[in-house]
Amino acid sequence: MKSGTQPPALYDTVLGHVLKQRRKDASMTKTALASAAGVHLHQIKRYEVGTNKVSVSRLIQLAQAMGVSASEIVAEVEELVAQDGVANTTERPGSARH
C-alpha cells in the first residue's frame, strides 16, 4: 500500500456514515430509501454501517433517491478520510454544503 493511502475498509465505513447522514438530511427513513433505490431494508442498514460495499451503480441509485449526486457523496468521503489521514465520522465538517 502506498504511503498515505487508506485501507479500503475505511472508505466503506466512511461511505456508510455519509450515506446515513445524507439520508437523514433528506428526511428519509431507511425504509423509504430502500424502497426508492429498489433494495431491501437490511441492505441499507449494512451499507450504513460499512459491512457491505456499495457498487458504483448502487451509489448512483442511492444518491438519486436522496436528491444528491454520487460525486457529492464521494467528495465528502474523500474529505473525511483526508482529515489527518483518519475519518472522523462522529461529526460532519462543514455541514453547510457548497
Side-chain angles (χ1 to χ4, degrees), residues 17-28:
H17 169 76
V18 170
L19 289 173
K20 182 177 183 177
Q21 286 302 126
R22 291 296 184 126
R23 175 181 58 76
K24 288 180 176 184
D25 290 349
S27 300
M28 294 181 83

Side-chain angles (χ1 to χ4, degrees), residues 51-74:
T51 56
N52 282 20
K53 294 179 188 265
V54 182
S55 69
V56 172
S57 58
R58 182 66 72 207
L59 178 59
I60 291 168
Q61 289 173 317
L62 293 168
Q64 288 174 341
M66 293 184 286
V68 298
S69 72
S71 61
E72 288 177 70
I73 292 172
V74 170

Side-chain angles (χ1 to χ4, degrees), residues 14 17-18 20-22 24-25 76-77 79-81 83 86-97:
V14 175
H17 169 76
V18 170
K20 182 177 183 177
Q21 286 302 126
R22 291 296 184 126
K24 288 180 176 184
D25 290 349
E76 188 169 347
V77 169
E79 180 182 337
L80 286 168
V81 170
Q83 292 175 354
V86 181
N88 176 1
T89 58
T90 58
E91 238 180 82
R92 276 194 8 226
S95 289
R97 287 183 209 87

Side-chain angles (χ1 to χ4, degrees), residues 31-45:
T31 302
L33 179 57
S35 178
V39 298
H40 196 276
L41 170 63
H42 294 296
Q43 190 67 2
I44 297 297
K45 291 177 183 179

